Amino acid sequence: MTPLLSRRTFLQGSAALGGAFALGAGLAARAGAVPEAQLLTAQLAKAQIAADGVTPVMTYGLGDAVHTHLPPVLRMRKGEPYAARLVNRLDEPTTVHWHGLRIANAMDGVPEMTQAYVYPGDHFDYSFTPPDAGTFWYHPHCNTLTQMGHGLTGVIVVENPADPTFDAEIVLNLRDWRLGAGGKYIDPFKPRDAARGGTYGTVRTANWQQEPVYDAPAGGLVRVRIAATDVTRIYTIGLEGAEAKVVALDGNPVDHPFLLDRLDIGPGQRVDLIMRMPDSEGAGATLGNFRGSNPWTIATLRSVGPSLKRDLGDVAPLPANPVARADLSTAQRIPLELTATAEHTAVPSVCGSLGYTFWALNKVPWPGDTPDPIAPIEELKLGKSYVLEIANRTPHAHPIHLHGLSFRILSSNKRSFLPPPTDTILLLPDEQAEVALVADNLGDWVIHCHIIEHQKTGMTGYFRII
């Protein structure tokens, strides 16, 4: 199977492998040029996901051609302009949210808050300059459980010319599908599960394939970019048959790369690994999910060609992104409680409702995407520092994602390792954490649980930066 490799990741010495690897050209405009907008088409298609039938899917394609595969990896460059025209060829409204990118509020893709719905046959022009390098992703913020559950999740790679180069790059988009016999969809969620940890899929895939195998240079250093784009599943990532170092989490480099043992990532989160491939031709290393009592294979990486004999000890920290540090001596403290709420019927929305309310932020359940949303959790002053005192008052984990901003985890009663700046924190049951941020991006910024059933049944709010 052909791996997902980028042209710029090959070191000298890999050329001996000749045509063994398919290389994708970068998609972003280069410095100094006014970028031509990519035509990003949201469309209906059919794909072979399950073994016993063809499944109707929603996907993104580049240009006018009919696309029948997973959404493309969009490549951009840090500090360089990017533009895309979303054309909606679905039979319902949609948008694009650029998950993890700190861009202008008008480009954030939240209907009724930052932009209008993009109706069938219409289009919307996005343009921004990504300030950070790393692994990000894109998805709709409209009828999310259905649209994401039917395929609308794609990975973004923002390249930094100052990054070290590696022998190959493999991008993995991890997600489940709720499919029954013949590849047909079953109910997207169960209310009882939505009121707990969420409803799991039945077919587990990486890049829309079950247990795919990718070739990479024997003895080489491979950058593996992993995005958890599932609507529910929390993964415990591990590797057997090789070693890897974690170099970035949620798009931001770690200060000191560390060996991968077991690493939890929730929906919306990403991890970048530098993996040292086995030396022997044909030897495989298995990336697996070790959560629960029945581990399973996510993907296998198989060595090809003569060994390049790279050394994992040579892996150095990646250049840091320009995330401002909060001034803790002047920071205002804001409580944020994750709670269950009394069950009642949700407000109807153009972007779809699950019909229930189970969850809340600060005891206020989100009413849905409406022209007159609830008040913000807090109004923040541009340039000021804040500490969010987040308390998970539930017995379930919640990956809490903040749009448009990055924050640093200062403390937690459940963890000893504090990651680099992030846009998503996987809050464990009964966890209490403090996170610090600088309100350096004007606008209304949504914060929500990225278990989509929780998001759509109330665990959503927003901050307003003025």
Side-chain angles (χ1 to χ4, degrees):
M1 182 174 294
T2 302
L4 305 178
L5 306 178
S6 69
R7 176 169 52 199
R8 66 176 301 277
T9 55
F10 274 77
L11 289 171
Q12 293 179 355
S14 298
L17 297 174
F21 308 105
L23 308 179
L27 301 177
R30 294 305 181 232
V34 176
E36 180 180 350
Q38 280 192 302
L39 184 61
L40 186 64
T41 306
Q43 56 186 258
L44 301 170
K46 292 184 178 180
Q48 187 85 37
I49 307 296
D52 61 344
V54 173
T55 299
V57 297
M58 297 179 180
T59 188
Y60 295 104
L62 295 178
D64 291 317
V66 175
H67 189 71
T68 59
H69 305 290
L70 81 160
V73 176
L74 299 182
R75 293 189 178 269
M76 310 171 190
R77 279 203 170 188
K78 175 182 176 180
E80 296 187 12
Y82 173 81
R85 168 167 286 190
L86 172 68
V87 175
N88 184 7
R89 292 187 181 150
L90 306 176
D91 53 9
E92 60 182 89
T94 193
T95 63
V96 174
H97 168 58
W98 311 88
H99 184 113
L101 295 185
R102 299 184 297 137
I103 56 181
N105 195 235
M107 299 291 104
D108 195 47
V110 180
E112 299 288 12
M113 181 164 287
T114 70
Q115 71 165 89
Y117 304 98
V118 184
Y119 286 93
D122 206 348
H123 69 269
F124 187 89
D125 291 325
Y126 295 94
S127 61
F128 51 82
T129 299
D132 304 316
T135 304
F136 306 91
W137 62 295
Y138 62 107
H139 62 83
H141 232 278
C142 186
N143 197 17
T144 44
L145 189 62
T146 294
Q147 292 188 13
M148 291 172 61
H150 288 202
L152 283 179
T153 67
V155 180
I156 299 169
V157 171
V158 181
E159 299 176 340
N160 183 354
D163 276 356
T165 53
F166 300 99
D167 298 296
E169 178 183 273
I170 296 175
V171 179
L172 296 176
N173 181 337
L174 309 187
R175 54 174 316 252
D176 291 359
W177 302 75
R178 295 252 323 142
L179 302 177
K184 298 183 184 302
Y185 290 105
I186 58 178
D187 290 341
F189 76 102
K190 298 177 181 178
R192 180 183 294 271
D193 290 339
R196 296 176 179 174
T199 308
Y200 288 97
T202 60
V203 179
R204 304 173 300 220
T205 66
N207 296 337
W208 289 21
Q209 299 170 73
Q210 299 179 61
E211 301 186 8
V213 178
Y214 296 105
D215 291 339
L221 295 179
V222 180
R223 184 168 185 167
V224 183
R225 298 178 184 263
I226 301 170
T229 76
D230 192 59
V231 298
T232 303
R233 186 175 296 281
I234 297 170
Y235 297 82
T236 299
I237 301 293
L239 185 65
E240 294 187 340
E243 287 190 330
K245 283 189 173 181
V246 177
V247 292
L249 295 167
D250 297 335
N252 282 291
V254 299
D255 292 335
H256 304 286
F258 58 89
L259 284 173
L260 174 68
D261 181 19
R262 297 290 185 265
L263 182 69
D264 292 340
I265 60 171
Q269 295 193 288
R270 295 86 65 204
V271 57
D272 286 40
L273 306 174
I274 305 302
M275 174 181 165
R276 206 275 186 181
M277 292 294 294
D279 287 299
S280 302
E281 172 90 28
T286 301
L287 185 73
N289 179 23
F290 293 87
R291 196 172 190 85
S293 57
N294 296 302
W296 46 271
T297 296
I298 293 172
T300 298
L301 280 69
R302 183 175 56 196
S303 293
V304 297
S307 176
L308 301 182
K309 299 182 180 179
R310 306 293 186 211
D311 188 346
L312 195 60
D314 292 338
V315 174
L318 303 176
N321 287 320
V323 179
R325 284 191 173 273
D327 181 351
L328 300 182
S329 67
T330 63
Q332 177 183 338
R333 304 180 79 84
I334 300 172
L336 187 65
E337 290 199 337
L338 317 182
T339 59
T341 190
E343 180 183 338
H344 58 79
T345 302
V347 176
S349 166
V350 172
C351 270
S353 165
L354 301 193
Y356 301 90
T357 294
F358 297 127
W359 303 100
L361 291 179
N362 285 351
K363 300 182 180 179
V364 178
W366 180 254
D369 305 305
T370 66
D372 186 22
I374 59 176
I377 296 170
E378 194 82 30
E379 283 194 349
L380 313 182
K381 300 286 183 64
L382 184 66
K384 300 296 184 182
S385 296
Y386 296 87
V387 172
L388 306 183
E389 300 172 336
I390 308 178
N392 181 1
R393 306 295 188 193
T394 83
H396 304 286
H398 298 282
I400 299 297
H401 171 54
L402 176 61
H403 290 210
L405 301 163
S406 293
F407 54 84
R408 287 179 170 85
I409 302 174
L410 301 178
S411 65
S412 165
N413 67 335
K414 291 281 188 173
R415 66 185 78 199
S416 55
F417 169 70
L418 301 179
T422 181
D423 52 77
T424 307
I425 177 173
L426 178 60
L427 281 158
L428 301 176
D430 302 312
E431 181 174 4
Q432 298 179 51
E434 293 184 334
V435 307
L437 60 87
V438 178
D440 54 4
N441 203 353
L442 284 169
D444 291 344
W445 297 108
V446 172
I447 183 169
H448 64 86
C449 181
H450 229 288
I451 293 175
I452 302 302
E453 291 156 88
H454 295 177
Q455 172 199 335
K456 297 292 285 185
T457 58
M459 194 171 281
T460 303
Y462 69 102
F463 293 103
R464 173 168 290 160
I465 299 179
I466 59 174

